[in-house]
């Protein structure tokens, strides 16, 4: 006898109730909805501030990213590094030497404990606090800096909780200070070119994107001598799941889609595999009975998060820092006239022959035609300075250039909050059997009247 769908659902609901499950209706409810607090200040979308002849910078956190940042910033015109801070005095000394070796005045140094960075933020000769600390200090440092009247720039992600995301937004609006997440991948050469192509309609209407942070970091997480300070990244793997590091892949495609600028992320669903790789690595490296091998790690090996935007576009985001695999951010952009993808090979396919990749000579011609003005202007110097192939320098150059001109930044605090919110939202979804979760509107409606990021003009 055939069973109708309605009878099946009734039978299923009765069975679930009989074994102690909640009302069956709960399984068909909509996405998890999160509150949006009222705005206490004024929107900082397209914020402009007084131009600066020179940008005086205090750098907090002088580990792998921080010392590299000091070295790069010294090569940007109009920069003066006036203060540096780290809990380890030898790193402060190393940063000071980088500055003096460049023929600059020795910066003030702070290494007097876990909260000495606050004293740096209070200085009258600091305009921008540039934070390269562990994740858990990104929001506190940025918020405190803005409350001292400074602009804030922070490594990624800018926040790891929804409360912190809102704290960044609310503080920026209250203080009318810039808060930029240092998402360097937005300034990589192919990402800049595909942004230009997208704005020029080369791919038609962008419908779908893929992005990722697939990077085997097992050795670095477990490195007790030269790895992350106090092994902070390993602690996150012990205590959290979902996508802990979404913004490297997400930032560039979010700008292409006009997220927070004519569109916004509406809701997501997220799913993770079991955790396998961390335990296997620990067992092989430290022994089967070692504390590292017996430790429970929550972070699933591969997380896939799917996002749908208000305008009906979708984004697939991957995160895997555990599996033995080549590095990839994917960066796939798919539209009504063609597509582009960066990994494992950089390729483009366009109508009317979109079923095959462009030949090398056609690809090279297209890349030359749509080279982003930033890459044209300072690309060669960026490659010489370095920093992930030059994109770090382009990011620093553009940030300082905008501050000196008093112009809006390419990345707003709303981007920092929205892109970073994937961290807690994905974990929330994973823990609730991949139930969809609404992405808060951190702009509080400003996205609807904001034009997408254009192709910047440079001098």
């Amino acid at each position: 006898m055939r069973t109708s769908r309605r009878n099946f659902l009734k039978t299923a609901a009765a069975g679930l109730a009989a074994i102690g499950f909640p009302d069956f209706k709960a399984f068909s409810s909509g996405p998890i909805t999160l509150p949006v607090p009222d705005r206490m200040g004024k929107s900082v979308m397209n914020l402009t501030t007084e131009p600066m002849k020179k940008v005086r910078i205090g750098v907090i956190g002088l580990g792998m990213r921080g010392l590299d940042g000091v070295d790069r910033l010294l090569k940007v015109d109009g920069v003066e590094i006036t203060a540096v801070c780290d809990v380890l005095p030898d790193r402060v000394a190393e940063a000071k030497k980088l500055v003096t070796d460049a023929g600059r005045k020795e910066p003030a140094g702070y290494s007097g404990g876990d909260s000495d960075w606050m004293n740096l933020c209070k200085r009258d000769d600091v305009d921008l606090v540039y934070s390269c600390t562990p994740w858990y200090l990104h929001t506190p440092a940025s918020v405190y800096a803005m409350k001292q009247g400074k602009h804030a720039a922070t490594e990624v992600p800018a926040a790891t909780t929804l409360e912190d995301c809102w704290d960044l937004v609310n503080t920026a609006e209250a203080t009318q200070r810039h808060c930029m997440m240092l998402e360097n991948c937005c300034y990589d050469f192919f990402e800049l070119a595909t942004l230009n192509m997208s704005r020029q309609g080369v791919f038609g209407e962008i419908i779908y994107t893929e992005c990722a942070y697939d990077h085997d970091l097992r050795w670095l997480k477990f490195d007790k001598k030269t790895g992350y300070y106090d092994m902070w990244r390993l602690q996150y793997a012990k205590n959290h799941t979902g996508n802990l590091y979404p913004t490297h892949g997400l930032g560039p495609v979010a700008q292409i889609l006009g997220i927070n600028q004519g569109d916004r992320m509406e809701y997501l669903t997220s799913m993770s595999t079991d955790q396998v790789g961390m335990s296997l690595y620990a067992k092989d490296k430290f022994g089967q009975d070692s504390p590292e091998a017996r430790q429970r790690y929550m972070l699933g090996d591969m997380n896939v998060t799917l996002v749908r935007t208000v305008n009906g576009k979708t984004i697939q985001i991957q995160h895997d820092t555990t599996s033995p695999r080549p590095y990839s951010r994917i960066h796939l952009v798919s539209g009504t006239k063609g597509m582009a993808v960066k990994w494992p090979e950089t390729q483009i396919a366009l109508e009317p022959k979109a079923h095959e990749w462009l030949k090398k000579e056609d690809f090279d011609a297209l890349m030359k035609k749509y080279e982003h003005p930033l890459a044209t202007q300072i690309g060669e110097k960026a490659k010489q300075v370095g920093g992930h192939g030059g994109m770090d320098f382009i990011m620093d150059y553009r940030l300082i250039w905008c501050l000196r001109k008093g112009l809006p930044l390419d990345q707003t605090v709303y981007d920092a909050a929205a892109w970073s919110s994937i961290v807690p939202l994905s974990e929330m979804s994973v823990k609730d059997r991949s139930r969809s979760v609404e992405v808060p509107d951190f702009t509080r409606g400003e996205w609807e009247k904001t034009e997408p990021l254009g192709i910047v003009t440079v001098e």
Side-chain angles (χ1 to χ4, degrees), residues 7 42-43 114 228:
N7 287 336
K42 178 184 175 183
S43 171
D114 291 341
Y228 301 105

Side-chain angles (χ1 to χ4, degrees), residues 169-189:
V169 169
N170 292 336
T171 305
E173 291 181 343
T175 61
Q176 294 294 293
R177 296 290 86 187
H178 286 297
C179 179
M180 175 177 156
M181 182 168 63
L182 295 166
E183 187 37 79
N184 52 346
C185 295
C186 291
Y187 297 91
D188 208 352
F189 291 86

Side-chain angles (χ1 to χ4, degrees), residues 120-152:
L120 178 148
C121 293
K122 294 175 183 177
R123 293 180 64 91
D124 292 334
D125 61 351
V126 169
D127 304 308
L128 171 69
V129 174
Y130 194 103
S131 179
C132 302
T133 67
W135 295 345
Y136 55 81
L137 269 179
H138 287 180
T139 298
S142 296
V143 166
Y144 191 80
M146 286 187 282
K147 287 182 177 179
Q148 307 310 307
K150 322 300 184 187
H151 299 298

Side-chain angles (χ1 to χ4, degrees), residues 34 77 101 107 135 180 199 215 278 287 289 344 348 356 406 413:
L34 301 166
D77 291 340
D101 284 353
W135 295 345
M180 175 177 156
R199 293 294 181 266
H215 189 185
M278 294 281 286
D289 296 324
I348 293 175
E356 62 185 35
V413 70

Side-chain angles (χ1 to χ4, degrees), residues 201-242:
V202 173
F203 305 117
E205 180 183 1
I206 306 301
I207 299 296
Y208 170 74
T209 61
E210 292 181 17
C211 55
Y213 187 72
D214 295 334
H215 189 185
D216 183 0
L217 295 176
R218 292 171 298 172
W219 65 275
L220 198 54
K221 291 179 184 178
F222 283 102
D223 190 330
K224 299 177 182 179
K225 293 183 178 179
T226 60
Y228 301 105
Y229 173 74
D230 205 22
M231 306 189 78
W232 59 264
R233 197 159 188 161
L234 187 65
Q235 301 307 315
Y236 276 88
K238 292 178 182 177
N239 300 317
H240 296 280
T241 188

Side-chain angles (χ1 to χ4, degrees), residues 215-428:
H215 189 185
D216 183 0
L217 295 176
R218 292 171 298 172
W219 65 275
L220 198 54
K221 291 179 184 178
F222 283 102
D223 190 330
K224 299 177 182 179
K225 293 183 178 179
T226 60
Y228 301 105
Y229 173 74
D230 205 22
M231 306 189 78
W232 59 264
R233 197 159 188 161
L234 187 65
Q235 301 307 315
Y236 276 88
K238 292 178 182 177
N239 300 317
H240 296 280
T241 188
N243 187 329
L244 300 187
Y245 205 64
T247 71
H248 278 340
L250 177 59
V253 299
Q255 288 189 332
I256 287 172
L257 289 170
I259 298 302
N260 293 332
Q261 302 164 333
D263 198 0
R264 73 174 183 86
M265 296 185 288
E266 186 175 20
Y267 64 90
L268 63 77
T269 184
S270 188
M271 184 179 292
S272 291
T273 67
D274 284 349
Q275 187 288 122
V276 179
M278 294 281 286
S279 295
L280 284 175
Y281 182 87
K283 177 182 175 181
D284 291 343
K285 184 174 179 63
F286 302 105
Q288 183 171 348
D289 296 324
S290 65
E292 292 84 355
R294 294 197 306 269
Q295 172 66 48
R296 177 176 177 265
Y297 304 98
M298 286 186 62
L299 183 64
D301 289 11
M302 168 63 81
N303 173 270
V304 177
T305 298
L306 296 173
V307 182
R308 183 176 171 88
T309 76
V310 171
N311 291 344
K313 314 303 173 64
T314 57
I315 309 169
Q316 181 191 120
I317 316 169
Q318 290 183 6
H319 176 271
D320 185 346
T321 57
T322 299
S323 302
R325 56 185 300 164
Y327 179 90
S328 174
R329 297 196 305 272
I330 299 179
H331 190 69
L332 184 150
V333 179
S334 180
T336 56
K337 293 183 180 179
M339 66 167 292
V341 66
K342 187 169 183 179
W343 276 278
E345 293 182 54
T346 305
Q347 295 179 313
I348 293 175
L350 298 173
E351 292 280 41
K353 296 182 178 180
H355 61 284
E356 62 185 35
W357 301 116
L358 290 179
K359 293 180 171 57
K360 184 180 186 307
E361 56 269 25
D362 296 326
F363 174 89
D364 291 344
L366 194 71
M367 292 296 292
K368 182 177 181 180
K369 179 179 179 180
Y370 291 101
E371 183 178 58
H372 194 281
L374 279 173
T376 302
Q377 184 193 34
I378 58 166
E380 287 307 312
K381 180 177 180 180
K383 291 175 183 176
Q384 293 171 12
V385 173
H388 292 97
M391 64 183 179
D392 293 2
F393 180 79
I394 297 177
M395 173 188 69
D396 292 332
Y397 174 91
R398 176 66 180 167
L399 167 61
I400 301 305
W401 193 85
C402 288
L403 289 175
R404 293 182 69 195
K405 298 293 183 180
L407 296 174
L409 305 185
D410 300 334
Q411 299 175 42
T412 67
V413 70
Y414 307 114
D415 298 325
W419 303 352
S420 299
S421 74
I422 301 301
V423 177
L425 295 177
S426 64
E427 181 169 27
M428 192 180 302

